[in-house]
Amino acid sequence: MTELDHRVRGVDHVAFPTFDPAATVRFYRDVLGFPVVHSICAAGWGPEDHPDFIHFFFDIGNDDRIAFFYYFGTDPSLGGPEGAKGDVHGRFGADVPEYFVRSRHLAIHVENEEDLLEYRRRLDASDWPVEMQIQHETIESIYTHDPNGYFFEITRAMRPVTPQEDLDAALTIDALLDVVAQPEPTFGKLLARKAELIVERAPGWEPVGSEPAR
Amino acid sequence: MTELYILDVPENTAVAKAAAEDPAATVGQVGPYFVISAEGPIVIDRRATGCRHAVWYSCVAGVARTGRITQHDKDALRVEPA
Ligand SMILES: [Fe+2]
């Protein structure tokens, strides 16, 4: 299905607004030790009454970066009324379920358990201690909220992804597209469609490359 | 006839093993999937698998249309003829 060559090279940067640059720098640079690698100081211009701003970047490894905008003369009310839940950019009422509020987040990768626990130590010694440490299916993650309320995850793989998981992911997505094209998609319908695709496509499947399936 | 598919990855082998303990069920393989089949219901005891939450609740890859999941909670996974 995927015949387009894959040329992209990871995250260049992901950018968020901040109204508290001091705490943001403390969290990312001083607590986590992410180096400041780039910044832009710009006078406001343009038709929209754009404020003067600082755009600053922290290295999150791999030359990927997390960036913030600080707009002079603004405060969190810029983004609308304060939310009972969410962060300075995404504001939600008390009735919005937590799984939805947390669904959009950034997860930063570490190599192994030792490194995960090192970041856990750094956070736990700070004003932003780890709120949860969870082993998911094949990854282990720690979570907190940064000074802007952004839900923040650091994660490690507990084992490499196997080729059969790539097959399974492809079948899942094809089944999902079939099911959401019909009225009232359900998990049960997805599993039934996936069973059909497994019968169709799994028997002839062979792991790509020389690495044996584990 | 009920058929349950489970991807063959290290976390899931305990689920297939627990399923095989039921004499009414047979465990086969289709490509990289375990296929657990039975004439009647398939019941897998959560405790017998020793699976963590996230693994337990995401271990099902497919259920043939001849059956459907009637229970998937902290105690058991049950697939019954539709
Ligand atoms: Fe995540």
XYZ file of all heavy atoms in Angstrom, chain A residues 105 107 143 153, ligand 1:
37
model
N -0.623 14.850 23.466
C 0.543 15.057 24.316
C 1.809 14.755 23.547
O 1.771 14.159 22.472
C 0.447 14.179 25.564
C 0.454 12.704 25.265
N -0.687 11.991 25.022
C 1.470 11.822 25.153
C -0.371 10.729 24.787
N 0.934 10.592 24.851
N 5.462 12.840 23.763
C 6.253 11.832 24.477
C 7.674 11.874 23.931
O 7.884 11.850 22.723
C 5.656 10.446 24.288
N 5.030 10.246 33.508
C 4.210 11.390 33.093
C 4.229 12.473 34.156
O 4.213 12.179 35.351
C 2.743 10.975 32.920
C 2.487 9.919 31.888
C 2.524 8.575 32.242
C 2.185 10.255 30.580
C 2.266 7.583 31.302
C 1.915 9.276 29.636
C 1.962 7.944 30.004
O 1.698 6.969 29.071
N 5.310 13.341 28.663
C 5.642 11.924 28.816
C 7.079 11.666 28.394
O 7.550 12.241 27.414
C 4.689 11.091 27.941
C 5.003 9.597 27.903
C 4.035 8.799 27.012
O 3.115 9.415 26.415
O 4.221 7.573 26.903
Fe 1.930 8.581 24.893
